[in-house]
Amino acid sequence: MNTTNPQLNKHGELQHLLTIEGLPRDVITRILDTAAPFTELVHQEEKKLPLLRGKSVFNLFFENSTRTRTTFEIAAKRLSADVINLNINTSSTAKGETLLDTVDNLAAMQADMFVVRHASSGAPFLIAQHLAATKQDHIRVVNAGDGRHAHPTQGLLDMYTIRHYKKDFTKLTVAIVGDILHSRVARSQIHALSTLGVPEIRAIAPKTLIPTAAERMGVKVFHDMREGLKGVDVVMMLRLQNERMLGALLPSPQEYFKNYGLTPEKLALAKPDAIVMHPGPMNRGVEIDSAVADGGQAVILPQVTFGIAVRMAVMSMLAGN
Ligand code: CP
């Protein structure tokens, strides 16, 4: 493990993917470039590549997921890996087995890669550290979302989507709207956007849903959504993370929608060719109006499709290809 950046080995190659924070620009760009040809695979007769043939990828999802878990599985299968989805509810975790004991047991089954989602921030890092300490660091760890800390593959697929539609990061104004305080996605997006050279990143949220340190992350904070959306190229919406809120931080979902819900009228303040993104799951009528979610500027479903290629790229690079 590289002590300054535990995700990279001493040659600067990706060893694990735990967070976008501190990931060099050239590594992010390499992941996006590697993903590009994988998007074409679906149009070919042979949709599988042998890049992970003989490898076992374990999906360890200790929190619910639709998009991330499924697209990791598709991505690993397209790379010819064997995929094992651990059902946490029926696993020995439910009998009190610790996370690291579970990891050791799966490592003993000759795992090559763990894709980990966990409600606790830092859980994938803890696993990577444990694998290094027990001399099992040939096993790769991918963070599929940990607490409110990071969701690196979501951040990367979002960057892929922006690059696909807007080409040049250095000319963009990007707004991230909603529950930034509890959002691992927002943190990964902000780190990726700033590393890729986006000159203006705006964070639009009520005062109760923005971290006090937001401005230190290099974003411009807006509490008035209409002000914040003026002239932006990209609108990235976020879900209210009710499961992570301690107590009531908002008067009501109706009030929230009135002030921070993306409607066609508010979207009209952005550039006419602005794209609308959402990591999912969406709450229609809470943070986004159906007319926008299903409208011509939304690229929400392409984000999901690009997620397969980006996850293929990450797994392929981790496997040393
Ligand atoms: N964007 C995202 O992480 O969605 P899931 O929770 O469905 O994986």
Side-chain angles (χ1 to χ4, degrees):
M1 226 186 211
N2 175 334
T3 46
T4 46
N5 192 335
Q7 317 181 84
L8 303 175
N9 66 15
K10 60 183 180 206
H11 307 294
E13 293 156 348
L14 207 56
Q15 182 92 352
H16 304 289
L17 181 64
L18 306 174
T19 173
I20 294 182
E21 187 176 4
L23 213 56
R25 185 176 184 154
D26 68 297
V27 174
I28 297 180
T29 306
R30 212 180 319 142
I31 295 170
L32 305 187
D33 292 346
T34 304
F38 293 148
T39 60
E40 298 301 319
L41 212 58
V42 283
H43 306 299
Q44 291 173 21
E45 203 163 303
E46 178 55 65
K47 292 184 179 54
K48 282 199 175 195
L49 293 170
L51 298 172
L52 259 67
R53 183 172 288 158
K55 306 266 186 211
S56 299
V57 175
F58 282 68
N59 267 336
L60 311 181
F61 278 65
F62 295 86
E63 240 191 17
N64 296 343
S65 170
T66 296
R67 282 145 288 269
T68 313
R69 200 203 61 72
T70 314
T71 53
F72 262 114
E73 181 169 353
I74 296 169
K77 285 181 172 166
R78 292 228 173 116
L79 294 171
S80 309
D82 295 319
V83 182
I84 299 94
N85 292 306
L86 191 72
N87 186 340
I88 301 300
N89 294 329
T90 58
S91 75
S92 291
T93 305
K95 298 179 192 163
E97 185 172 71
T98 68
L99 175 63
L100 296 182
D101 277 334
T102 302
V103 162
D104 281 339
N105 280 273
L106 300 177
M109 298 174 203
Q110 271 76 49
D112 294 291
M113 204 176 287
F114 292 129
V115 178
V116 183
R117 169 167 292 191
H118 206 284
S120 300
S121 298
F125 181 84
L126 183 74
I127 294 172
Q129 227 177 11
H130 174 74
L131 292 172
T134 53
K135 305 214 179 319
Q136 305 183 90
D137 50 4
H138 56 281
I139 304 176
R140 305 297 187 226
V141 181
V142 186
N143 181 359
D146 63 327
R148 52 163 98 170
H149 169 235
H151 193 346
T153 56
Q154 179 69 46
L156 290 167
L157 76 88
D158 291 339
M159 295 311 110
Y160 189 94
T161 308
I162 293 175
R163 193 172 80 163
H164 177 84
Y165 289 101
K166 296 288 166 193
K167 314 296 177 212
D168 185 357
F169 287 104
T170 66
K171 292 188 170 60
L172 297 179
T173 302
V174 178
I176 303 173
V177 188
D179 181 2
I180 293 163
L181 181 66
H182 300 100
S183 177
R184 54 195 176 207
V185 173
R187 278 172 189 74
S188 291
Q189 288 169 337
I190 292 167
H191 288 303
L193 290 166
S194 54
T195 304
L196 291 169
V198 170
E200 190 165 336
I201 308 167
R202 299 181 185 175
I204 306 173
K207 285 190 179 134
T208 49
L209 292 181
I210 195 127
T212 43
E215 267 155 352
R216 266 189 270 138
M217 290 179 82
V219 301
K220 265 194 191 174
V221 174
F222 291 78
H223 300 302
D224 180 332
M225 187 175 181
R226 288 179 176 79
E227 244 347 274
L229 286 180
K230 277 185 192 160
V232 302
D233 300 280
V234 180
V235 187
M236 304 173 98
M237 298 304 298
L238 297 171
R239 179 177 67 88
L240 285 179
Q241 313 259 306
N242 289 311
E243 71 276 23
R244 290 185 224 289
M245 287 187 197
L246 298 171
L249 295 178
L250 295 166
S252 70
Q254 293 78 11
E255 187 71 13
Y256 181 80
F257 182 69
K258 192 170 129 221
N259 292 315
Y260 294 98
L262 187 62
T263 57
E265 170 258 325
K266 290 198 197 99
L267 180 57
L269 296 163
K271 285 197 181 145
D273 64 347
I275 54 169
V276 176
M277 301 171 62
H278 195 306
M282 272 191 294
N283 287 142
R284 293 168 184 260
V286 179
E287 73 267 3
I288 191 161
D289 191 299
S290 280
V292 176
D294 304 326
Q297 287 170 265
V299 297
I300 297 165
L301 294 177
Q303 278 176 267
V304 178
T305 309
F306 292 143
I308 298 171
V310 169
R311 289 175 174 129
M312 285 173 77
V314 167
M315 287 194 282
S316 169
M317 285 168 68
L318 288 174
N321 293 302

